[in-house]
mmCIF file with all atom_site columns, all heavy atoms in Angstrom:
data_model
loop_
_atom_site.group_PDB
_atom_site.id
_atom_site.type_symbol
_atom_site.label_atom_id
_atom_site.label_alt_id
_atom_site.label_comp_id
_atom_site.label_asym_id
_atom_site.label_entity_id
_atom_site.label_seq_id
_atom_site.pdbx_PDB_ins_code
_atom_site.Cartn_x
_atom_site.Cartn_y
_atom_site.Cartn_z
_atom_site.occupancy
_atom_site.B_iso_or_equiv
_atom_site.pdbx_formal_charge
_atom_site.auth_seq_id
_atom_site.auth_comp_id
_atom_site.auth_asym_id
_atom_site.auth_atom_id
_atom_site.pdbx_PDB_model_num
ATOM 1  N N   . SER A 1 2  ? 103.145 207.422 140.637 1.00 92.00 ? 2  SER A N   1
ATOM 2  C CA  . SER A 1 2  ? 103.390 206.457 141.717 1.00 92.00 ? 2  SER A CA  1
ATOM 3  C C   . SER A 1 2  ? 103.704 205.064 141.187 1.00 92.00 ? 2  SER A C   1
ATOM 4  O O   . SER A 1 2  ? 104.520 204.346 141.783 1.00 92.00 ? 2  SER A O   1
ATOM 5  C CB  . SER A 1 2  ? 102.203 206.401 142.671 1.00 92.00 ? 2  SER A CB  1
ATOM 6  O OG  . SER A 1 2  ? 101.039 205.974 142.014 1.00 92.00 ? 2  SER A OG  1
ATOM 7  N N   . ASP A 1 11 ? 112.787 197.475 141.756 1.00 96.00 ? 11 ASP A N   1
ATOM 8  C CA  . ASP A 1 11 ? 114.020 197.187 141.012 1.00 96.00 ? 11 ASP A CA  1
ATOM 9  C C   . ASP A 1 11 ? 115.253 197.385 141.897 1.00 96.00 ? 11 ASP A C   1
ATOM 10 O O   . ASP A 1 11 ? 116.161 196.554 141.919 1.00 96.00 ? 11 ASP A O   1
ATOM 11 C CB  . ASP A 1 11 ? 114.138 198.091 139.785 1.00 96.00 ? 11 ASP A CB  1
ATOM 12 C CG  . ASP A 1 11 ? 113.154 197.748 138.676 1.00 96.00 ? 11 ASP A CG  1
ATOM 13 O OD1 . ASP A 1 11 ? 112.622 196.620 138.659 1.00 96.00 ? 11 ASP A OD1 1
ATOM 14 O OD2 . ASP A 1 11 ? 112.918 198.633 137.821 1.00 96.00 ? 11 ASP A OD2 1
ATOM 15 N N   . ALA A 1 13 ? 115.419 197.411 145.239 1.00 94.00 ? 13 ALA A N   1
ATOM 16 C CA  . ALA A 1 13 ? 115.447 196.418 146.324 1.00 94.00 ? 13 ALA A CA  1
ATOM 17 C C   . ALA A 1 13 ? 115.979 195.085 145.804 1.00 94.00 ? 13 ALA A C   1
ATOM 18 O O   . ALA A 1 13 ? 116.791 194.431 146.472 1.00 94.00 ? 13 ALA A O   1
ATOM 19 C CB  . ALA A 1 13 ? 114.045 196.242 146.909 1.00 94.00 ? 13 ALA A CB  1
ATOM 20 N N   . ALA A 1 38 ? 103.587 196.505 142.547 1.00 96.00 ? 38 ALA A N   1
ATOM 21 C CA  . ALA A 1 38 ? 104.788 196.617 141.720 1.00 96.00 ? 38 ALA A CA  1
ATOM 22 C C   . ALA A 1 38 ? 105.640 195.380 141.909 1.00 96.00 ? 38 ALA A C   1
ATOM 23 O O   . ALA A 1 38 ? 105.579 194.722 142.953 1.00 96.00 ? 38 ALA A O   1
ATOM 24 C CB  . ALA A 1 38 ? 105.583 197.866 142.082 1.00 96.00 ? 38 ALA A CB  1
ATOM 25 N N   . SER A 1 43 ? 109.176 186.493 137.189 1.00 85.00 ? 43 SER A N   1
ATOM 26 C CA  . SER A 1 43 ? 108.083 185.814 137.894 1.00 85.00 ? 43 SER A CA  1
ATOM 27 C C   . SER A 1 43 ? 107.260 186.790 138.733 1.00 85.00 ? 43 SER A C   1
ATOM 28 O O   . SER A 1 43 ? 106.055 186.625 138.884 1.00 85.00 ? 43 SER A O   1
ATOM 29 C CB  . SER A 1 43 ? 108.617 184.687 138.773 1.00 85.00 ? 43 SER A CB  1
ATOM 30 O OG  . SER A 1 43 ? 109.487 185.207 139.758 1.00 85.00 ? 43 SER A OG  1
ATOM 31 N N   . THR A 1 52 ? 95.454  189.267 147.993 1.00 93.00 ? 52 THR A N   1
ATOM 32 C CA  . THR A 1 52 ? 95.146  188.232 148.967 1.00 93.00 ? 52 THR A CA  1
ATOM 33 C C   . THR A 1 52 ? 94.678  188.937 150.235 1.00 93.00 ? 52 THR A C   1
ATOM 34 O O   . THR A 1 52 ? 94.612  190.156 150.279 1.00 93.00 ? 52 THR A O   1
ATOM 35 C CB  . THR A 1 52 ? 96.374  187.325 149.224 1.00 93.00 ? 52 THR A CB  1
ATOM 36 O OG1 . THR A 1 52 ? 95.988  186.224 150.030 1.00 93.00 ? 52 THR A OG1 1
ATOM 37 C CG2 . THR A 1 52 ? 97.507  188.075 149.892 1.00 93.00 ? 52 THR A CG2 1
ATOM 38 N N   . THR A 1 53 ? 94.380  188.168 151.256 1.00 93.00 ? 53 THR A N   1
ATOM 39 C CA  . THR A 1 53 ? 93.988  188.760 152.531 1.00 93.00 ? 53 THR A CA  1
ATOM 40 C C   . THR A 1 53 ? 95.092  188.519 153.558 1.00 93.00 ? 53 THR A C   1
ATOM 41 O O   . THR A 1 53 ? 95.923  187.629 153.381 1.00 93.00 ? 53 THR A O   1
ATOM 42 C CB  . THR A 1 53 ? 92.668  188.151 153.064 1.00 93.00 ? 53 THR A CB  1
ATOM 43 O OG1 . THR A 1 53 ? 92.873  186.759 153.302 1.00 93.00 ? 53 THR A OG1 1
ATOM 44 C CG2 . THR A 1 53 ? 91.541  188.343 152.059 1.00 93.00 ? 53 THR A CG2 1
ATOM 45 N N   . VAL A 1 56 ? 96.164  184.845 154.766 1.00 92.00 ? 56 VAL A N   1
ATOM 46 C CA  . VAL A 1 56 ? 96.586  183.796 153.833 1.00 92.00 ? 56 VAL A CA  1
ATOM 47 C C   . VAL A 1 56 ? 98.070  183.905 153.479 1.00 92.00 ? 56 VAL A C   1
ATOM 48 O O   . VAL A 1 56 ? 98.565  184.991 153.196 1.00 92.00 ? 56 VAL A O   1
ATOM 49 C CB  . VAL A 1 56 ? 95.745  183.886 152.535 1.00 92.00 ? 56 VAL A CB  1
ATOM 50 C CG1 . VAL A 1 56 ? 96.189  182.843 151.518 1.00 92.00 ? 56 VAL A CG1 1
ATOM 51 C CG2 . VAL A 1 56 ? 94.269  183.729 152.836 1.00 92.00 ? 56 VAL A CG2 1
ATOM 52 N N   . LEU A 1 58 ? 102.375 183.443 152.882 1.00 88.00 ? 58 LEU A N   1
ATOM 53 C CA  . LEU A 1 58 ? 103.537 184.150 153.397 1.00 88.00 ? 58 LEU A CA  1
ATOM 54 C C   . LEU A 1 58 ? 103.295 185.650 153.489 1.00 88.00 ? 58 LEU A C   1
ATOM 55 O O   . LEU A 1 58 ? 103.721 186.303 154.441 1.00 88.00 ? 58 LEU A O   1
ATOM 56 C CB  . LEU A 1 58 ? 104.761 183.900 152.504 1.00 88.00 ? 58 LEU A CB  1
ATOM 57 C CG  . LEU A 1 58 ? 105.454 182.557 152.644 1.00 88.00 ? 58 LEU A CG  1
ATOM 58 C CD1 . LEU A 1 58 ? 106.581 182.442 151.639 1.00 88.00 ? 58 LEU A CD1 1
ATOM 59 C CD2 . LEU A 1 58 ? 105.983 182.375 154.042 1.00 88.00 ? 58 LEU A CD2 1
ATOM 60 N N   . ARG A 1 64 ? 100.865 190.123 159.286 1.00 92.00 ? 64 ARG A N   1
ATOM 61 C CA  . ARG A 1 64 ? 100.406 189.921 160.666 1.00 92.00 ? 64 ARG A CA  1
ATOM 62 C C   . ARG A 1 64 ? 101.529 190.066 161.680 1.00 92.00 ? 64 ARG A C   1
ATOM 63 O O   . ARG A 1 64 ? 101.352 190.639 162.746 1.00 92.00 ? 64 ARG A O   1
ATOM 64 C CB  . ARG A 1 64 ? 99.743  188.550 160.812 1.00 92.00 ? 64 ARG A CB  1
ATOM 65 C CG  . ARG A 1 64 ? 98.395  188.429 160.152 1.00 92.00 ? 64 ARG A CG  1
ATOM 66 C CD  . ARG A 1 64 ? 97.696  187.116 160.497 1.00 92.00 ? 64 ARG A CD  1
ATOM 67 N NE  . ARG A 1 64 ? 98.541  185.938 160.490 1.00 92.00 ? 64 ARG A NE  1
ATOM 68 C CZ  . ARG A 1 64 ? 98.845  185.208 159.395 1.00 92.00 ? 64 ARG A CZ  1
ATOM 69 N NH1 . ARG A 1 64 ? 98.356  185.556 158.218 1.00 92.00 ? 64 ARG A NH1 1
ATOM 70 N NH2 . ARG A 1 64 ? 99.610  184.149 159.488 1.00 92.00 ? 64 ARG A NH2 1
ATOM 71 N N   . ALA A 1 72 ? 114.578 180.551 150.176 1.00 74.00 ? 72 ALA A N   1
ATOM 72 C CA  . ALA A 1 72 ? 115.666 180.119 149.321 1.00 74.00 ? 72 ALA A CA  1
ATOM 73 C C   . ALA A 1 72 ? 115.244 180.012 147.860 1.00 74.00 ? 72 ALA A C   1
ATOM 74 O O   . ALA A 1 72 ? 116.068 179.956 146.970 1.00 74.00 ? 72 ALA A O   1
ATOM 75 C CB  . ALA A 1 72 ? 116.205 178.764 149.798 1.00 74.00 ? 72 ALA A CB  1
#
Side-chain angles (χ1 to χ4, degrees):
S2 62
D11 288 341
S43 61
T52 188
T53 63
V56 178
L58 283 177
R64 288 188 318 275

